[in-house]
Amino acid sequence: MNQWFENAVVYQVYPRSFADSNGDGVGDLRGVIGKLDYLHTLGIDVLWLSPIYTSPQDDNGYDISDYRDIDPLFGTLEDLTELTEGLHQRGMKLVMDLVVNHTSDEHPWFVQSRSSRDNPKRDWYWWQDARPGFEPGTPGAEPNNWGSAFSGSAWAYDESSGQYYLHLFSKKQPDLNWENPEVRTAVYEMMNWWLDRGVDGFRMDVINFISKDPLLPDGVQHEGRLYGDGSAFFISGPRIHEFLHEMHTEVFAPRGDRELLTVAEMPGVTVDDAAQFTDPAREEVNMVFQFEHVSLDHLDGDKWQPTRLRLTDLKRSLGRWQAGLAEHGWNSLYWSNHDQPRAVSRFGDDGEYRKLSAKMLAGILHLHRGTPYVYQGEELGMTNMTFAEIGDYRDIEVLNHHREATTKRGLRESDVLASLAPMNRDNARTPVQWSDAPGAGFTSGVPWIGINPNHTTINAATQVDDPDSVFSFYRRVIELRHSDPVVASGDFTMLLPGDEHIYAFTRSTPDARLLVLGNFSSEPQPLPPLPGFTTSESDAGTPGVLVLGNYAEEGTAGELRPWELRVFRSGPA
């Protein structure tokens, strides 16, 4: 039985960079409300809203100090109610970001927890004594050798109590202790509160980190690294399935009459684990965000050492996920989000072939089996930003890495800046380019982060009514998912797995078949014989009716032009 989200397309809004309604340079909820008709025109079904809760903004809202209120930077609860109602009136749903691996250190829970060792909320977080034999607060005295995702140790020393608290991310993001049932109850109550207000589900931030090995052992310390890798002891930990099933039971199961969405961000998750997490019979989550395909261009797993992506590696990875979740579970499909660089700059060609490659990437991704996610601006073909100096950056991950690399590791400033450019998260966080105006139509004030200079040519105002634009192509791809059952429910078969330039696959049901062909290069590529198709079909290059393509004029049979996409529909094989 098909589930509603198999036909759906999700659009991610990163609020501070989407649309600013009051001229303070930061996007807000009223800005989003003003763009609902734009989103409805695009054809999306679900809006995923990155965190808007009350927060000190140490990590742009992923450090929450009040789960039940809106940060004044973004608006009010009344604004969110208006947004929710506006979405529902247009047939769209609202998914909120759920950040419950950690809170802000300014959350009342943590304020109480750190106030004394005997506070009732002390064990709502992970507190530990110094390593035996070391003076608390001195180098090496941390309870274990884990490093933080944002550089430095994963432990912060609290002088007033003489203990350390765990923070897998920023020092201002202490990790909640999910071993404590009171923590879980409080989280479930908060989730139910939001669903009662009309929210339609949650995107769960690093949710597979919530179950840790209670022993907190040292991790492997790789050569050249300042800290150990503790991921083996907190990624998909010993009680993760138990916790997620409990969450489903306490929050979602009682609401069986509503179409809700749960998508779990899970760094390091395996295909086998994901098949369990997303198997409907297990009642955990609907789908997961995995990171395998967006780590293939990281040398030795280090995002600050980017390397060339091989198309065969990308096909091998995505093909494995398609096969692994074919019988049980469901895939989420994405090229980019607020933590990844712009899709067309990373996977396509953001120069001469920007428009064509942006369209090709849309077709390839959206026609896989799974629920596609569009990150704001992706539908316009927005590109990475050039940041000339460290002062141009805003992301805590970048700033902390730069400080550690140039001081503790002694790397040259120019080398560090060069390594930051391709993969930094601020690439995706520059404001949405609505027009060619000085503020890109995003703000009438001074933007919180620089605006890409190419907004004068790449913007929504020039694309919405242009039938040949990237925006219009996204509309066509989304409509194909809505109208053709084979896109949502068809089986997936990878073709030409060893080809370094052509991405080819079929989607098939007993009644129809789609053949999807994409050229991932800036050169024409001959089309090899296609397995499962007759010689005449392959030679002619027309195995069915062409239902989608990114070139206006007809191409040469048996050859794909630079960054060309062709999608053919035929009867059953």
Side-chain angles (χ1 to χ4, degrees):
M1 177 181 175
N2 286 0
Q3 302 190 75
W4 70 270
F5 52 77
E6 297 180 18
N7 289 87
V9 176
V10 183
Y11 186 96
Q12 182 189 358
V13 164
Y14 191 70
R16 65 170 48 237
S17 299
F18 190 67
D20 170 21
S21 70
N22 60 7
D24 67 354
V26 179
D28 47 48
L29 288 176
R30 300 222 63 83
V32 180
I33 292 169
K35 300 298 183 182
L36 288 183
D37 287 339
Y38 170 88
L39 298 174
H40 187 250
T41 298
L42 182 60
I44 61 106
D45 305 280
V46 180
L47 186 152
W48 154 28
L49 201 59
S50 289
I52 53 172
Y53 313 96
T54 305
S55 166
Q57 302 296 321
D58 186 58
D59 185 23
N60 286 357
Y62 283 87
D63 50 315
I64 297 168
S65 55
D66 187 345
Y67 284 110
R68 301 196 189 196
D69 204 357
I70 306 302
D71 196 293
L73 189 68
F74 300 121
T76 65
L77 278 171
E78 289 72 26
D79 292 332
L80 185 66
T81 297
E82 184 178 341
L83 172 61
T84 306
E85 292 173 350
L87 287 164
H88 290 170
Q89 289 166 6
R90 292 167 175 82
M92 296 183 279
K93 299 179 184 295
L94 175 65
V95 164
M96 296 275 280
D97 229 308
L98 182 77
V99 188
V100 290
N101 173 70
H102 47 265
T103 69
S104 166
D105 65 344
E106 297 181 33
H107 194 291
W109 296 347
F110 188 73
V111 172
Q112 293 180 56
S113 181
R114 79 185 310 173
S115 65
S116 71
R117 290 196 182 200
D118 58 0
N119 186 276
K121 283 190 168 55
R122 184 67 170 184
D123 64 351
W124 280 44
Y125 295 84
W126 292 91
W127 290 95
Q128 295 285 302
D129 291 326
R131 189 185 292 267
F134 284 79
E135 180 69 21
T138 62
E142 295 85 3
N144 66 30
N145 67 354
W146 296 1
S148 160
F150 291 165
S151 302
S153 171
W155 295 91
Y157 182 59
D158 179 62
E159 290 187 7
S160 63
S161 66
Q163 284 190 312
Y164 291 82
Y165 65 86
L166 177 67
H167 61 92
L168 293 180
F169 295 89
S170 160
K171 290 180 180 179
K172 290 183 65 63
Q173 293 170 296
D175 280 48
L176 284 164
N177 177 12
W178 275 67
E179 297 293 317
N180 186 333
E182 293 180 2
V183 169
R184 305 200 301 274
T185 296
V187 168
Y188 304 153
E189 288 177 352
M190 174 268 293
M191 294 172 69
N192 276 306
W193 186 82
W194 281 110
L195 294 180
D196 288 343
R197 294 183 63 89
V199 170
D200 301 295
F202 300 97
R203 175 267 187 186
M204 305 176 183
D205 187 66
V206 294
I207 199 66
N208 64 326
F209 288 12
I210 61 175
S211 173
K212 281 114 174 144
D213 183 334
L215 298 178
L216 303 173
D218 279 341
V220 175
Q221 187 166 349
H222 299 286
E223 184 178 354
R225 300 298 177 89
L226 297 175
Y227 299 94
D229 177 6
S231 61
F233 307 108
F234 60 76
I235 287 181
S236 301
R239 300 182 68 186
I240 185 63
H241 291 287
E242 173 194 344
F243 290 162
L244 290 180
H245 179 71
E246 180 183 74
M247 178 188 290
H248 176 89
T249 301
E250 297 296 322
V251 179
F252 301 102
R255 304 170 188 268
D257 58 331
R258 287 182 61 184
E259 291 182 340
L260 301 175
L261 183 67
T262 54
V263 53
E265 183 197 35
M266 292 190 168
V269 69
T270 66
V271 176
D272 290 340
D273 279 344
Q276 295 185 64
F277 287 124
T278 64
D279 182 350
R282 294 177 59 90
E283 298 182 324
E284 296 184 28
V285 295
N286 298 137
M287 63 192 79
V288 304
F289 281 140
Q290 53 88 10
F291 287 74
E292 185 178 297
H293 70 296
V294 292
S295 303
L296 296 173
D297 50 5
H298 299 172
L299 184 64
D300 297 328
D302 183 353
K303 70 182 287 183
W304 307 125
Q305 296 187 67
T307 187
R308 185 180 73 86
L309 173 68
R310 294 186 53 158
L311 184 63
T312 47
D313 291 340
L314 181 65
K315 290 190 286 188
R316 188 177 302 113
S317 174
L318 293 180
R320 181 167 58 251
W321 280 87
Q322 289 288 303
L325 301 186
E327 297 299 325
H328 303 284
W330 192 249
N331 274 288
S332 62
L333 310 171
Y334 74 97
W335 288 130
S336 182
N337 56 40
H338 65 290
D339 286 336
Q340 303 293 331
R342 287 286 176 183
V344 72
S345 296
R346 184 181 197 175
F347 298 104
D349 178 341
D350 61 9
E352 178 183 359
Y353 294 108
R354 182 192 63 84
K355 243 172 84 169
L356 285 168
S357 62
K359 294 176 181 181
M360 189 276 292
L361 289 170
I364 291 292
L365 183 78
H366 283 241
L367 297 179
H368 277 67
R369 184 176 184 270
T371 297
Y373 287 71
V374 180
Y375 178 66
Q376 63 183 40
E378 186 180 314
E379 77 282 7
L380 303 175
M382 281 180 59
T383 68
N384 278 358
M385 173 80 160
T386 298
F387 297 94
E389 55 189 37
I390 193 63
D392 294 335
Y393 286 99
R394 299 292 180 268
D395 180 27
I396 185 174
E397 181 185 38
V398 166
L399 300 177
N400 285 358
H401 172 76
H402 174 268
R403 183 172 57 251
E404 181 177 282
T406 55
T407 56
K408 295 183 178 180
R409 296 171 61 189
L411 301 181
R412 290 189 304 180
E413 173 82 7
S414 58
D415 291 341
V416 175
L417 288 176
S419 71
L420 291 172
M423 296 293 170
N424 74 80
R425 303 193 301 180
D426 281 340
N427 278 315
R429 299 178 180 187
T430 59
V432 173
Q433 296 163 202
W434 296 106
S435 74
D436 62 0
F442 163 72
T443 184
S444 59
V446 179
W448 73 277
I449 191 173
I451 292 172
N452 198 316
N454 65 18
H455 74 276
T456 55
T457 55
I458 303 172
N459 60 70
T462 61
Q463 293 195 34
V464 170
D465 296 322
D466 177 4
D468 188 45
S469 68
V470 177
F471 178 89
S472 294
F473 192 83
Y474 265 81
R475 288 187 64 189
R476 292 169 60 195
V477 174
I478 292 170
E479 175 54 32
L480 190 61
R481 172 168 290 271
H482 290 159
S483 62
D484 193 340
V486 72
V487 178
S489 58
D491 294 337
F492 178 97
T493 302
M494 186 72 77
L495 307 177
L496 309 178
D499 196 296
E500 286 289 359
H501 302 292
I502 294 177
Y503 200 122
F505 60 89
T506 60
R507 300 293 310 286
S508 57
T509 66
D511 302 316
R513 178 174 62 174
L514 287 182
L515 170 64
V516 182
L517 304 170
N519 178 4
F520 270 73
S521 80
S522 299
E523 302 293 335
Q525 297 296 332
L527 187 60
L530 298 168
F533 291 85
T534 65
T535 303
S536 60
E537 284 179 318
S538 295
D539 289 346
T542 55
V545 177
L546 184 68
V547 294
L548 189 66
N550 61 345
Y551 275 80
E553 63 281 354
E554 186 175 340
T556 305
E559 180 182 84
L560 292 178
R561 290 164 287 187
W563 298 101
E564 182 170 14
L565 173 80
R566 293 183 192 172
V567 181
F568 299 98
R569 194 180 197 280
S570 63

